[in-house]
Amino acid sequence: ALSKPLDEAFSLWKQLLEKPGIPCVRCPEQTVISLRLLAFLYNLQAQPIQAAESFLLLRSLCQKLGDTSGMANALCELAKILLQLECPSQAQVNLRMASGKGLGDP
């Protein structure tokens, strides 16, 4: 019951971010902050799968915005969750991407 508003927000963000290109939002920076907050709130409610999905949405938005630092941060947070879920190989993949490989760095 407590996560219903979060689930609704996640669903709306997902619909918006599934569309190609940069989403039409008033302030992309505020949208990034909102998605980070959504992920952290899921994490606080001990819902790691939803938190991970939120960080994936955040990574996608940062990628569309060309924000490599935001992408790296989202990937690191995702890696933390994957480690908590005892998925070390997947966490390692995300950390490797966060370190620059896959973010557009040479």
Side-chain angles (χ1 to χ4, degrees):
L2 291 175
S3 68
K4 186 177 179 186
L6 293 179
D7 294 340
E8 290 173 1
F10 176 81
S11 177
L12 291 171
W13 285 122
K14 187 174 180 182
Q15 288 175 21
L16 182 68
L17 296 174
E18 282 178 341
K19 299 174 185 172
I22 296 174
C24 294
V25 292
R26 256 186 277 168
C27 179
E29 294 81 11
Q30 185 63 43
T31 303
V32 167
I33 292 168
S34 295
L35 281 172
R36 285 181 57 81
L37 183 59
L38 179 69
F40 286 127
L41 288 172
Y42 271 131
N43 219 11
L44 285 173
Q45 288 191 347
Q47 296 183 344
I49 301 299
Q50 292 86 343
E53 290 176 337
S54 298
F55 280 119
L56 286 171
L57 279 181
L58 177 60
R59 181 195 57 84
S60 173
L61 175 60
C62 289
Q63 184 176 25
K64 290 177 181 184
L65 296 173
D67 178 2
T68 55
S69 135
M71 282 178 58
N73 188 285
L75 289 166
C76 288
E77 293 294 340
L78 183 57
K80 279 198 274 186
I81 292 170
L82 290 167
L83 287 172
Q84 292 169 356
L85 294 172
E86 299 180 9
C87 301
S89 60
Q90 289 298 321
Q92 187 176 24
V93 168
N94 283 281
L95 289 174
R96 202 173 294 131
M97 288 177 61
S99 70
K101 296 169 181 61
L103 294 180
D105 292 347

